[in-house]
């Protein structure tokens, strides 16, 4: 009838409704009005229930959201549990001491957007700017600190996460995720303030799952520096108290999501307690926070951390930050550099022998050496090229007693306890192809978590062996859709 009357497109629906009205002798009007009224009532009831859920007033929600992809086999859905009425963090009187790795930083809902070219554009591997792109989009629970703690736990370390979530759906999802991973929530502070949001990270990857750009909202971690002494410092004390002579080291790992004030409060408190410290830079921008510190006297060069694991861009950023802050001009810095025993003519050929010509021409080993007075163990992540290990060896290190080709220079004095300079490029066992890589998210975090977990196993661990072990764990995460592959448990 509509076709015969020429009622096409936008004219089709009004024509049909008018025809039904005539054929029903007007009775369809009452039916339509009843339908509209029923829809309004149903929509209002749904809005009321949603409002109650947002305010966490309802303990019996009338519907359940669909499943959300999650980083463990249990795959819990977004929580619809009632409002969390306590801050969920254990008071200083009741904090457990049964852990040897404390990881301080972010837990976040991670969204990965993997570009999927259409069938007529298979040769295009990267998404186009300024327009919408087809993609495979998935969500997991991640965040730098969560991933590191998860990796350390999976390989057998007793790791605890200190972080913040908001009292929102994402925060409850994160708490459910910790429980699903058999990880304690003892160090998780649930913020009740309405203007707090649980952290989120969104990654945009090309068709080969290489990261093109990412966005992160970690502002919840960037707040409450003034609460450090009461909220966070009590969690460090058990590590210091449990540090026994001859025992394996206890570690604090701090990520770069903290603002400089909080970051250095964590590191300074750990140093005071004799706890080994590691820094994960997180990103090019946030890596600079490591050197946003006021040094009263650059002549007395402080060790800011014991170990750091930047990638190539983060190493460059950290070097620029230290240089811009004038930290490479003080007497203390020069004394440490001189104590390494590098000849005045330089060590270009020696560096090329233990790394490669390309890295030396790029100045990568040189920048690492210049940062060693601040952090004497640098593990520079180079992707498929491997990991560049740069270390200041103490005078009593067993490596100095051996004829290791990786001892680039030996100290000729006893200044500062420096024994020499060690450098080695450790390649991965094998390099994955693009089709073998499922996701790059979490691979670097897995590396650091597995590395520190390995270093806690005995008092004088083999650093190079631990690096190779961590590379294997990182490779397993590259082939997993999860932020940390649960299969690294098999490496124990």
């Amino acid at each position: 009838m509509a076709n015969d009357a020429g009622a096409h497109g936008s004219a089709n629906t009004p024509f049909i409704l008018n025809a039904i009205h005539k054929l029903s002798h007007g009775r369809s009007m009452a039916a339509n009005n009843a339908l509209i009224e029923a829809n309004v009532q149903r929509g209002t009831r749904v809005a009321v229930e949603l409002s109650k859920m947002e305010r966490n007033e309802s303990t019996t929600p009338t519907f359940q959201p669909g499943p959300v992809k999650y980083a463990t086999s249990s795959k819990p859905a977004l929580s619809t549990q009632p409002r969390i009425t306590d801050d969920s963090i254990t008071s200083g009187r009741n904090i457990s001491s049964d852990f040897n790795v404390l990881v301080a930083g972010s837990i976040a809902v991670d969204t990965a957007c993997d570009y999927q070219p259409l069938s007529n554009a298979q040769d295009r591997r990267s998404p186009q700017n300024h327009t919408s792109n087809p993609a495979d989009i998935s969500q997991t629970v991640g965040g730098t600190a969560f991933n590191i703690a998860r990796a350390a736990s999976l390989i057998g370390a007793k790791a605890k996460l200190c972080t913040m979530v908001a009292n929102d759906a994402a925060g409850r999802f994160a708490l459910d995720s910790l429980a699903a991973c058999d990880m304690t929530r003892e160090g998780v502070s649930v913020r009740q303030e309405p203007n707090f949001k649980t952290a989120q990270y969104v990654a945009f990857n090309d068709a080969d799952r290489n990261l093109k750009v990412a966005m992160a909202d970690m502002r919840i971690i960037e707040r409450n520096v003034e609460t450090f002494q009461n909220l966070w410092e009590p969690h460090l004390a058990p590590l210091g108290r449990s540090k026994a002579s001859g025992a394996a080291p206890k570690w604090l790992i701090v990520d770069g999501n903290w603002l400089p004030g909080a970051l250095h409060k964590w590191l300074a408190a750990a140093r005071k307690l004799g706890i080994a410290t590691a820094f994960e830079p997180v990103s090019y921008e946030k890596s600079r926070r490591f050197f946003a510190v006021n040094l009263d006297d650059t002549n007395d060069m402080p060790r800011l951390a014991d170990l750091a694991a930047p990638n190539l861009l983060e190493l460059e950023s950290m070097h620029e930050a230290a240089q811009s802050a004038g930290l490479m001009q003080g007497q203390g810095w020069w004394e440490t550099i001189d104590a390494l025993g590098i000849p005045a003519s330089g060590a270009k050929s020696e560096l090329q022998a233990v790394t490669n010509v390309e890295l030396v021409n790029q100045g990568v080993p040189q920048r690492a050496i210049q940062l060693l007075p601040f952090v004497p163990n640098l593990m520079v992540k180079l992707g498929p090229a491997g990991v560049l290990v740069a270390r200041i060896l103490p005078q009593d290190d067993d490596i100095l007693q051996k004829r290791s080709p990786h001892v680039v220079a030996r100290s000729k004095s006893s200044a500062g306890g420096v024994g020499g300079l060690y450098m080695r490029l450790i390649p991965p066992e094998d390099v994955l192809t693009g089709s073998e890589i499922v996701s790059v998210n979490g691979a670097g975090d897995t590396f650091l978590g597995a590395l520190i977990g390995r270093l806690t196993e005995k008092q004088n661990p083999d650093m190079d062996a631990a690096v190779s072990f961590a590379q294997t764990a990182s490779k397993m995460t590259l082939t997993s859709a999860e932020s940390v592959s649960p299969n690294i448990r098999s490496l124990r």
Side-chain angles (χ1 to χ4, degrees), residues 337-390:
I337 292 296
D338 289 343
L340 291 173
I342 301 172
S345 58
K348 184 175 181 179
S349 59
E350 289 85 351
L351 292 176
Q352 289 177 344
V354 297
T355 60
N356 59 48
V357 173
E358 182 181 2
L359 284 176
V360 174
N361 289 342
Q362 292 175 355
V364 177
Q366 296 92 319
R367 283 194 286 272
I369 291 170
Q370 292 172 359
L371 291 178
L372 288 177
F374 308 104
V375 52
N377 296 282
L378 279 171
M379 312 293 142
V380 185
K381 297 172 289 192
L382 302 174
V387 174
L388 177 64
V389 177

Side-chain angles (χ1 to χ4, degrees), residues 25-314:
H25 303 290
R27 290 193 299 273
S28 64
M29 179 67 73
N32 284 335
N33 289 339
L35 176 63
I36 293 171
E37 182 178 347
N39 285 341
V40 170
Q41 291 175 350
R42 184 175 292 106
T44 301
R45 289 197 295 270
V46 170
V48 169
E49 292 300 323
L50 285 173
S51 178
K52 287 181 178 180
M53 289 177 64
E54 289 295 325
R55 298 195 307 269
N56 295 288
E57 293 176 355
S58 174
T59 59
T60 56
T62 57
F63 68 94
Q64 296 287 338
V68 175
K69 188 173 181 181
Y70 173 60
T72 69
S73 58
S74 56
K75 297 183 180 179
L78 278 173
S79 175
T80 56
Q81 294 177 357
R83 181 179 180 86
I84 305 168
T85 55
D86 60 72
D87 73 354
S88 298
I89 197 163
T90 304
S91 68
R93 295 188 303 274
N94 302 313
I95 292 174
S96 168
S97 61
D98 188 26
F99 61 97
N100 55 11
V101 177
L102 192 152
V103 188
S106 67
I107 187 171
V109 174
D110 286 353
T111 302
C113 307
D114 299 329
Y115 176 59
Q116 300 287 309
L118 299 177
S119 57
N120 61 350
Q122 289 297 313
D123 58 334
R124 184 180 297 130
R125 309 307 295 167
S126 294
Q128 293 181 290
N129 294 329
H130 313 300
T131 188
S132 176
N133 291 272
D136 177 19
I137 301 176
S138 59
Q139 282 190 319
T140 60
V141 169
T144 300
F146 170 82
N147 293 340
I148 293 171
R150 174 73 170 142
S153 296
L154 283 170
I155 67 151
K158 296 179 179 179
K160 181 168 76 171
L161 174 66
C162 280
T163 189
M164 289 183 183
V165 298
N167 195 358
D168 53 18
R172 294 188 293 277
F173 182 32
L175 293 177
D176 291 345
S177 304
L178 285 170
C181 294
D182 293 323
M183 295 172 63
T184 178
R185 56 182 275 185
E186 182 181 76
V188 181
S189 174
V190 181
R191 309 307 303 180
Q192 304 293 344
E193 298 88 337
N195 59 333
F196 275 61
K197 295 188 299 182
T198 298
Q200 297 201 45
Y201 172 87
V202 183
F204 298 91
N205 305 320
D206 63 18
D208 299 313
R209 297 183 177 88
N210 294 313
L211 180 66
K212 300 299 293 183
V213 68
M215 300 289 181
D217 182 355
M218 303 290 166
R219 287 174 292 177
I220 189 170
I221 295 295
E222 296 175 348
R223 303 187 183 195
N224 292 297
V225 174
E226 70 279 1
T227 65
F228 179 83
Q229 185 174 1
N230 295 326
L231 186 61
W232 301 123
E233 195 166 9
H235 289 270
L236 280 171
L239 280 181
R241 288 196 301 267
S242 62
K243 187 176 183 297
S245 176
K250 312 290 184 179
W251 282 85
L252 166 71
I253 308 172
V254 187
D255 76 26
N257 286 305
W258 300 97
L259 289 177
L263 170 65
H264 287 286
K265 284 184 178 181
W266 276 109
L267 294 172
R271 284 196 302 272
K272 185 177 180 180
L273 292 168
I275 301 166
T277 55
F279 173 63
E280 167 52 50
V282 175
S283 69
Y284 180 89
E285 292 294 336
K286 292 180 179 179
S287 63
R288 304 179 71 88
R289 293 175 173 176
F290 188 68
F291 291 105
V293 55
N294 294 322
L295 301 180
D296 296 331
D297 185 1
T298 55
N299 290 330
D300 183 18
M301 186 58 58
R303 176 183 295 189
L304 299 180
D306 295 295
L307 184 149
N311 62 26
L312 198 57
L313 287 175
E314 292 160 355

Side-chain angles (χ1 to χ4, degrees), residues 1-8 12 15-16:
M1 182 185 298
N3 289 336
D4 294 340
H8 303 294
N12 183 269
F15 178 89
I16 292 175

Side-chain angles (χ1 to χ4, degrees), residues 427-442:
E429 290 184 359
D430 53 74
V431 178
L432 299 174
T433 64
S435 60
E436 294 175 306
I437 297 175
V438 175
S439 174
V440 298
N441 297 335

